[in-house]
Amino acid sequence: MNNPLQFLRDFLAGLVQRQENGRYTGRGAEVRSSVGEDSRPVFTALDIGTAYAKAIIIEVQDDIGVVLGVGRHQQSYSHMSDGIVTDIPGVITNCNEALTKAEQSAGGIIAPSTVIGIAGELVKGSSITISKQRQQPTKPISPEELESVISSAQQKLLKIAKDRIAAETGYPNIEVRLTNAAVISVRIDGQTVSNPIGFRGRHFTLTLFSAFAPLMQLGALETVAQGLDLTLVSIVAEPYALARCLSANASADSGAIFIDIGGGTTDIALVRQGGIEETRMFALGGRTFTRRLAASKGLSIKEAEKLKLGYSSGGTKGNERDEIQNIFASEAQTWMDSVELLIEELAKGELLPPAIYTVGGGSGLPDLRQKLEQFPWTERLPFSRQPIIETIQPAMVTSIDDPNNLLRNAQDITPMALAYQAIELQNEDNVLDRVLYRVIHQMHI
């Protein structure tokens, strides 16, 4: 994996060169003619969800992403399963519809530089802390020493991801690739520093987060991007994107648990002390409830989805509402049991932050909110106090400005979080990033 920052610069430079030569191809051509000569930094965030493909076009202005256009298009049941692409041509068609709607919404602006989200049970994200006792504490820390510590952490995280995927699939030696990585914190003798180069001290501690996914899954997304004539800036694990985006707005110090309830999966991310620690995913989302409703009431999937949405918005009353609630009861309990199990794994016996934030289309199901708020489950886990449950709405995300109110509800939070990744890629260029990307490049992961 190359340095995404350099990749982005090279891409923009290439656009300028093609303009000078009078040659344009695909979406790259149209963005130049659409936005003029000022090379405004515009990006597309593409959330290839199980239920919907969602696209947001933003312009990066300093540390804010201004929403220019939004597009959504429903996925076919045969094209996606549990967050994973199962029909590449079908997904390309659906994503193209979402992109076209976003481009029309943006007044014809086309942004080929794209961040794509990845989800699914086999996407593994975790952090590790490496502590080194330096033999020469009076010697300044060098870039080579920093690189050595990061490399040691990255190697261990790669092994953890491979072992977990092998254990869950039963297949050893599945090819995995890094989706994204970030240095969460660096401490010298217990003091947090943003750049350790030049510091002296005995104890050097670094925490690194990395997310990995099977090559098959990443390759499918790369093929989708190529089919859409997009320039793929980054593929990002969606729980990581959520945690990075939302922890800047809520409970950054004390931490939070973020739960993204999508169409095919539920993704969970734990943030403690301002840094993402771990992510977990399981294959149960809104589609499970749609299928249950269709089977129980003899409806088509389309009819069941419409009925489910009406139920979620409070449009069904009396006996019909009670009937649907009874139909959903077993799946809602299975979902809650899975959430409890994974949060217990994430806790690792340490105190959990008392804030739980939900996003995604499935967060509108009152049954799931009710399960979270029925607190006997939290008494079995190490919460410092009874957690507050809150559903994130677009207006609560301060890093994304939506002047035309194109973003509607909690299902738009994930593509907003991917858009935030474009902001970070545009703005972050520090010593830690450069050393981390150099290590990644050398490891060929």
Side-chain angles (χ1 to χ4, degrees):
M1 176 183 292
N2 294 324
N3 182 339
L5 298 167
Q6 188 59 48
F7 182 87
L8 185 56
R9 295 191 191 97
D10 292 344
F11 167 71
L12 293 173
L15 279 182
V16 173
Q17 184 64 48
R18 286 198 297 275
Q19 180 193 31
E20 292 172 350
N21 294 340
R23 296 193 299 272
Y24 293 98
T25 59
R27 295 179 182 274
E30 297 176 64
V31 70
R32 179 62 55 189
S33 61
S34 297
V35 304
E37 303 297 319
D38 56 354
S39 298
R40 290 156 55 191
V42 290
F43 296 86
T44 295
L46 184 58
D47 175 16
I48 306 177
T50 303
Y52 285 88
K54 309 181 196 81
I56 297 178
I57 297 175
I58 65 163
E59 178 183 354
V60 178
Q61 298 178 1
D62 297 324
D63 58 350
I64 298 293
V66 179
V67 177
L68 305 178
V70 173
R72 306 170 186 83
H73 190 76
Q74 191 166 10
Q75 299 270 28
S76 167
Y77 264 64
S78 63
H79 296 163
M80 296 285 296
S81 176
D82 301 335
I84 299 173
V85 175
T86 54
D87 182 334
I88 291 176
V91 168
I92 289 174
T93 298
N94 297 333
C95 289
N96 189 62
E97 290 291 333
L99 286 167
T100 299
K101 292 173 184 176
E103 291 157 0
Q104 291 171 347
S105 173
I109 292 176
I110 299 173
S113 299
T114 303
V115 175
I116 294 180
I118 186 169
E121 288 187 291
L122 296 182
V123 179
K124 303 301 181 185
S126 58
S127 64
I128 193 170
T129 298
I130 299 292
S131 296
K132 175 185 178 183
Q133 186 165 313
R134 305 178 70 232
Q135 299 304 311
Q136 295 179 286
T138 59
K139 182 181 178 182
I141 294 173
S142 66
E144 291 75 21
E145 187 175 358
L146 173 61
E147 185 171 321
S148 174
V149 173
I150 291 178
S151 179
S152 176
Q154 192 68 82
Q155 291 281 4
K156 291 179 179 180
L157 287 171
L158 175 60
K159 184 178 186 306
I160 290 170
K162 283 186 172 182
D163 289 347
R164 285 173 59 190
I165 291 173
E168 291 180 23
T169 63
Y171 294 100
N173 302 320
I174 288 179
E175 284 294 316
V176 303
R177 291 291 184 270
L178 184 75
T179 63
N180 46 275
V183 176
I184 302 302
S185 69
V186 179
R187 296 187 297 277
I188 309 297
D189 289 344
Q191 179 64 47
T192 299
V193 298
S194 59
N195 176 7
I197 303 299
F199 279 92
R200 296 171 170 84
R202 172 76 67 183
H203 304 282
F204 184 4
T205 304
L206 180 142
T207 300
L208 178 70
F209 174 89
S210 292
F212 295 87
L215 178 62
M216 179 276 293
Q217 199 172 338
L218 283 169
L221 294 180
E222 291 172 352
T223 302
V224 169
Q226 291 169 0
L228 294 167
D229 203 12
L230 298 172
T231 300
L232 188 54
V233 175
S234 183
I235 296 176
V236 183
E238 292 183 353
Y240 169 85
L242 281 169
R244 292 286 287 190
C245 176
L246 299 180
S247 61
N249 299 278
S251 299
D253 295 328
S254 60
I257 297 168
F258 299 100
I259 303 178
D260 181 4
I261 311 166
T265 64
T266 294
D267 308 339
I268 303 174
L270 171 64
V271 172
R272 275 194 284 222
Q273 297 178 342
I276 180 170
E277 287 195 2
E278 202 121 0
T279 64
R280 289 286 191 277
M281 307 184 192
F282 63 95
L284 200 164
R287 274 192 174 179
T288 299
F289 295 89
T290 302
R291 287 194 293 265
R292 169 63 73 177
L293 196 58
S296 298
K297 293 181 69 67
L299 303 173
S300 69
I301 291 294
K302 187 175 181 180
E303 291 170 334
E305 180 69 16
K306 184 178 180 181
L307 180 58
K308 184 189 75 173
L309 293 176
Y311 168 78
S312 296
S313 63
T316 56
K317 306 293 182 182
N319 291 336
E320 185 180 26
R321 179 179 176 83
D322 294 341
E323 180 191 9
I324 295 174
Q325 193 172 49
N326 289 332
I327 290 171
F328 286 166
S330 61
E331 269 75 17
Q333 187 59 52
T334 300
W335 179 87
M336 188 66 252
D337 291 343
S338 300
V339 168
E340 180 180 349
L341 176 63
L342 295 189
I343 292 179
E344 184 178 18
E345 288 182 10
L346 293 174
K348 298 178 180 176
E350 299 180 10
L351 283 179
L352 289 164
I356 298 176
Y357 296 101
T358 62
V359 302
S363 63
L365 270 173
D367 311 71
L368 304 187
R369 177 65 178 253
Q370 186 179 39
K371 287 293 183 184
L372 286 172
E373 291 179 338
Q374 290 175 346
F375 289 115
W377 74 274
T378 62
E379 295 172 4
R380 296 188 289 268
L381 298 178
F383 283 97
S384 57
R385 61 181 183 273
Q386 199 105 305
I388 296 170
I389 314 293
E390 187 170 7
T391 299
I392 299 289
Q393 298 298 329
M396 299 167 66
V397 183
T398 58
S399 50
I400 305 292
D401 181 22
D402 181 21
N404 297 316
N405 297 315
L406 300 174
L407 301 167
R408 305 174 193 161
N409 50 42
Q411 71 173 329
D412 293 322
I413 300 298
T414 300
M416 291 174 74
L418 296 173
Y420 181 75
Q421 285 295 297
I423 301 171
E424 288 203 317
L425 288 173
Q426 175 79 359
N427 293 334
E428 288 190 359
D429 185 13
N430 55 45
V431 169
L432 292 174
D433 290 331
R434 291 194 292 272
V435 174
L436 174 58
Y437 294 136
R438 187 158 62 244
V439 168
I440 291 168
H441 181 70
Q442 290 168 354
M443 289 177 64
H444 302 290
I445 56 174

